[in-house]
Amino acid sequence: MRVTRSDRLAALPPYLFAEIDRKKRAAREAGRDIIDFGVGDPDQPTHAFIIACMQQAVTRPENHPYPLGGGSPGFRRAIAAFFQRRYAVDLDSNRELLALIGSKEGIGHLPLALVNPGQTVIVPSPGYPVYRASTIFAGGRPYTLELTEAGGWLPDFATIPAAVARDAVLMFLNYPNNPTAATATLAFYERAVEFARRHNILIAQDAAYNDLYLGHNPPPSILQVPGARDVAIEFHSASKTFNMTGWRIGFVAGNGEAIAALGSIKANLDSGVFAAIQEAACEAYANLDRPELSQMRELYRARARAFCDGLRKLGFRAAAPDATFYVWAGVPVGYDSMTVCNRLLDEADVVGVPGIGFGPTGEGYVRFALNVSVDRIQTAIERMAAIRW
Ligand SMILES: *Cc1c(COP(=O)(O)O)cnc(C)c1O
């Protein structure tokens, strides 16, 4: 038979990382010693106190059936308590919270819940590719909101044409930002909420890195803006905060109607997060001030220092990130990001991600993920020093 392939798959933007992925695999198979700054996935194990909780939770029979839709009462209470402690925001744990099978799952399904075919969704660029893909899957029309270094990688809402603001129903934001590592202030979120309110647009702010901050000020939540819950939801993830990427748990908080709509989509697609994993996540979110977490931040700070110092000597522009585990480095003058990444791989066995793959305004930058030890970072810098730009 001829297997059909949907138009919505064909409508996805080209996958620009394919060539680098292929070369990386080939180099590994050829036995080359690759130093991989490509993947945004922690190299450290899940914190031991969370694993210990999971080991107990998995033995309890009440955790074995289909979990309750949207998260157990215990999970909802634990997350509401976390939100109160961390942001001084009181969430209604029944209406304003939903457990997710990782935040990517919720982001991926959100447009199916909120967007009709032909409606506009505002998508930042450079940005996490799932915002655009999920918009396309729902038949929505992505409008590219350009972020630039001059603007601190924060959007200027005044540049959005009136027709776009009128037609848009949803706008994605992501701070702390992947790939640029930019952070947002509460004043920025106030402007975003005001814009959304004026134009009747729901904001979906992706806070996957809110607890992976390396500076002294923990990033705010958009839900701290008075009235934000009228127009905003916020995605959170245990993945990066607790080295739990493989466990698949996150949550969304905020506007109750948007959360109910997403819950209806999910009720028809999945059957929730394994209750034992929810229990382990409660333990994780109850213990954000444990020393393991500050040690993890210290580890990323040391890596960021070592890598950025090295990169600058090699002609890149690189600032240590305030949050996230990414270094968003400006490439040496005269080169595009794809050429730079190809040469890093061919000549130094080092993998970075070309900025162009995150959108046109990502050109001129390479994203390096700091999931590599300081020793290996130093080796990478030594190898890169041999490249003549
Ligand atoms: C890693 C990441 C996510 C996804 O996290 P999960 O909770 O593991 O699905 C979401 N948004 C951004 C920007 C990310 O980098």
Side-chain angles (χ1 to χ4, degrees):
M1 69 167 285
R2 283 265 303 277
V3 175
T4 58
R5 202 174 165 85
S6 70
D7 292 344
R8 66 180 66 82
L9 277 179
L12 291 178
Y15 183 68
L16 294 181
F17 306 132
E19 191 193 354
I20 297 276
D21 286 354
R22 185 185 52 73
K23 275 190 163 176
K24 178 164 88 176
R25 262 197 315 278
R28 281 228 168 89
E29 274 160 27
R32 279 159 56 191
D33 174 34
I34 298 296
I35 304 179
D36 192 352
F37 295 95
V39 286
D41 194 350
D43 59 317
Q44 300 293 302
T46 304
H47 301 298
F49 72 94
I50 302 169
I51 296 175
C53 175
M54 180 69 177
Q55 282 172 325
Q56 293 305 309
V58 82
T59 62
R60 269 194 289 285
E62 66 268 28
N63 281 337
H64 297 170
Y66 282 123
L68 280 178
S72 70
F75 179 78
R76 287 161 178 274
R77 271 198 307 277
I79 295 302
F82 154 73
F83 235 82
Q84 170 56 41
R85 265 196 327 277
R86 171 79 165 79
Y87 301 112
V89 170
D90 278 312
L91 294 169
D92 175 339
S93 64
N94 288 318
R95 266 188 354 99
E96 295 178 323
L97 274 176
L98 191 64
L100 300 172
I101 312 170
S103 59
K104 182 181 189 177
E105 178 266 305
I107 293 164
H109 286 142
L110 185 70
L112 287 181
L114 304 181
V115 179
N116 278 325
Q119 285 183 321
T120 299
V121 177
I122 300 174
V123 175
S125 167
Y128 186 54
V130 185
Y131 313 134
R132 185 173 298 268
S134 62
T135 297
I136 291 170
F137 286 165
R141 298 203 334 218
Y143 167 81
T144 300
L145 180 58
E146 289 196 349
L147 313 180
T148 61
E149 182 166 2
W153 306 105
L154 295 164
D156 177 358
F157 299 115
T159 64
I160 298 174
V164 171
R166 186 191 62 220
D167 294 345
V169 293
L170 177 64
M171 173 167 73
F172 284 103
L173 294 176
N174 167 220
Y175 295 97
N177 187 256
N178 174 9
T180 69
T183 54
T185 60
L186 201 56
F188 168 77
Y189 288 139
E190 281 165 5
R191 292 200 297 280
V193 165
E194 199 258 330
F195 172 80
R197 195 186 290 286
R198 186 146 32 92
H199 299 288
N200 245 323
I201 297 171
L202 188 92
I203 296 173
Q205 144 63 8
D206 179 355
Y209 295 93
N210 248 34
D211 288 296
L212 197 59
Y213 52 87
L214 310 180
H216 294 295
N217 297 321
S221 161
I222 195 170
L223 301 181
Q224 287 173 282
V225 176
R229 269 170 282 185
D230 296 342
V231 294
I233 56 175
E234 189 167 76
F235 288 94
H236 287 256
S237 169
S239 289
K240 319 285 166 55
T241 312
F242 305 107
N243 301 329
M244 287 175 74
T245 45
W247 296 51
R248 312 312 303 135
I249 186 160
F251 65 90
V252 59
N255 184 278
E257 286 172 70
I259 282 180
L262 178 58
S264 299
I265 292 285
K266 282 173 58 57
N268 287 285
L269 287 174
D270 66 64
S271 299
V273 180
F274 181 25
I277 293 179
Q278 293 188 46
E279 213 178 302
C282 293
E283 183 70 8
Y285 278 102
N287 286 286
L288 263 169
D289 44 13
R290 277 182 73 115
E292 289 90 328
L293 280 112
S294 33
Q295 283 156 14
M296 182 182 73
R297 295 193 176 98
E298 201 41 62
L299 182 74
Y300 286 126
R301 277 186 208 113
R303 291 174 177 184
R305 265 195 308 274
F307 196 45
C308 292
D309 286 352
L311 279 178
R312 282 193 294 267
K313 288 188 191 127
L314 302 181
F316 287 78
R317 287 180 299 120
D322 268 345
T324 78
F325 44 48
Y326 301 114
V327 170
W328 180 243
V331 302
V333 237
Y335 291 89
D336 65 74
S337 61
M338 202 59 93
T339 304
V340 168
C341 288
N342 275 306
R343 290 193 63 188
L344 291 179
L345 185 49
D346 294 341
E347 299 175 41
D349 289 340
V350 166
V351 176
V353 182
I356 184 76
F358 296 100
T361 50
E363 185 51 279
Y365 299 85
V366 175
R367 191 195 75 176
F368 296 98
L370 294 169
N371 296 305
V372 169
S373 70
V374 169
D375 267 8
R376 295 283 284 168
I377 285 173
Q378 264 140 10
T379 305
I381 294 289
E382 282 162 24
R383 289 189 198 164
M384 287 160 73
I387 301 178
R388 286 288 151 254
W389 297 105

